[in-house]
Amino acid sequence: MARTRRPLIAGNWKMNGLRADALALAGELASGMKQAGWNDRELLICPPATLLAAVAEAVKGSGVFVGGQDCHAKASGAHTGDLSAEMLRDAGASHVIVGHSERRTDHRETDAVVRAKAEAAWRAGILPVVCIGETLAEREAGRTLGVLEAQLSGSVPAGATAAKLVVAYEPVWAIGTGKTPTTAEVAAAHAHIRKVLGSLMADAGAVRLLYGGSVKGSNAVELLAAGDVDGALVGGASLKADEFLAIAKAA
Ligand code: 13P
């Protein structure tokens, strides 16, 4: 079953990167991808929106996908500073991350907002990567699986299919901290996510579930081998070509 789900290694550059460094990194990833000749896994990079078009141009023809880090739910209108999914696609994006914990915290995004953004991605013809994950307090209170269930039920739009959805499990306490859950904890969370998706859609068995949170070259083999893990959503380590390519190799 697992091999029918093509692994996806996604890099979330967050608010990092000025043009020169970003284009150098994108170029290194594109040549790394070409050299490796991987056609059994997918690589995605999500640069800041200012660099989306330039990065898309820099990786053109390499097979590396480019995505946005967020989008507005509407296609256009009076929303100063926001970007629509249509604009991301127009700039070269094929994917968009929605509901990242930093958006949920910094911009108070609710599950309903995240769901609307995922629907916006569909409307624009790009693939949403819907992020969920518990805080440390929620984990310590034994509420992890319940929190994931509520976030999924609220954030995944009706009509979801495996071809139209990627889910990323990112425990908030593991993001940027160097801490990771054990592989058993990751497997338990992913198994539960797949089970909950089973109540929301017909082909939940084929949805790709990414793990995110302090993934790096040295722990990628172990984390990616956990049950029901079909790839990774990588923050800090995606800013270094050799680290990101090492994670891709581990997939
Ligand atoms: P780190 O890999 O830096 O922990 O970040 C994970 C993340 O938030 C990716 O979206």
Side-chain angles (χ1 to χ4, degrees):
M1 187 67 213
R3 292 307 91 187
T4 66
R5 302 189 297 257
R6 185 187 293 254
L8 172 63
I9 303 300
N12 175 8
W13 293 5
K14 306 191 180 184
M15 198 171 72
N16 295 292
L18 298 178
R19 194 178 173 89
D21 289 343
L23 292 184
L25 175 56
E28 282 179 71
L29 295 175
S31 51
M33 177 80 174
K34 275 199 215 149
Q35 256 169 36
W38 290 313
N39 51 22
D40 58 348
R41 69 203 73 187
E42 293 175 358
L43 264 59
L44 165 67
I45 50 179
C46 301
T50 48
L51 294 167
L52 230 167
V55 166
E57 189 59 36
V59 302
K60 207 171 182 172
S62 70
V64 175
F65 293 106
V66 177
Q69 299 177 8
D70 173 56
C71 66
H72 194 278
K74 298 264 172 63
S76 62
H79 302 287
T80 303
D82 279 312
L83 295 168
S84 70
E86 282 80 356
M87 290 168 170
L88 299 179
R89 181 181 172 150
D90 190 45
S94 52
H95 298 61
V96 61
I97 298 168
V98 294
H100 191 281
S101 78
E102 287 147 19
R103 300 288 315 175
R104 291 177 185 263
T105 304
D106 296 356
H107 301 272
R108 297 197 185 85
E109 291 188 5
T110 61
D111 290 328
V113 166
V114 175
R115 183 175 55 216
K117 291 181 174 200
E119 284 170 341
W122 290 354
R123 184 190 62 225
I126 62 178
L127 186 60
V129 178
V130 176
C131 301
I132 58 170
E134 83 286 358
T135 63
L136 185 59
E138 288 163 345
R139 173 162 286 267
E140 286 176 343
R143 293 179 49 218
T144 298
L145 300 186
V147 166
L148 299 181
E149 188 163 342
Q151 288 180 335
L152 279 174
S153 307
S155 308
V156 174
T161 65
K164 286 163 58 180
L165 180 72
V166 174
V167 173
Y169 168 55
E170 299 204 301
V172 178
W173 53 273
I175 295 176
T177 59
K179 292 184 191 144
T180 56
T182 64
T183 49
E185 287 168 336
V186 172
H190 280 227
H192 191 69
I193 290 167
R194 200 173 294 287
K195 184 174 146 215
V196 174
L197 287 174
S199 67
L200 300 173
M201 55 197 286
D203 58 351
V207 179
R208 285 176 296 173
L209 306 183
L210 313 185
Y211 167 77
S214 297
V215 178
K216 47 191 182 202
S218 58
N219 63 15
V221 169
E222 195 186 346
L223 288 165
L224 287 166
D228 274 304
V229 174
D230 308 308
L233 181 53
V234 185
S238 72
L239 297 171
K240 295 181 204 126
D242 53 347
E243 277 285 312
F244 192 63
L245 290 168
I247 296 165
K249 195 173 171 200

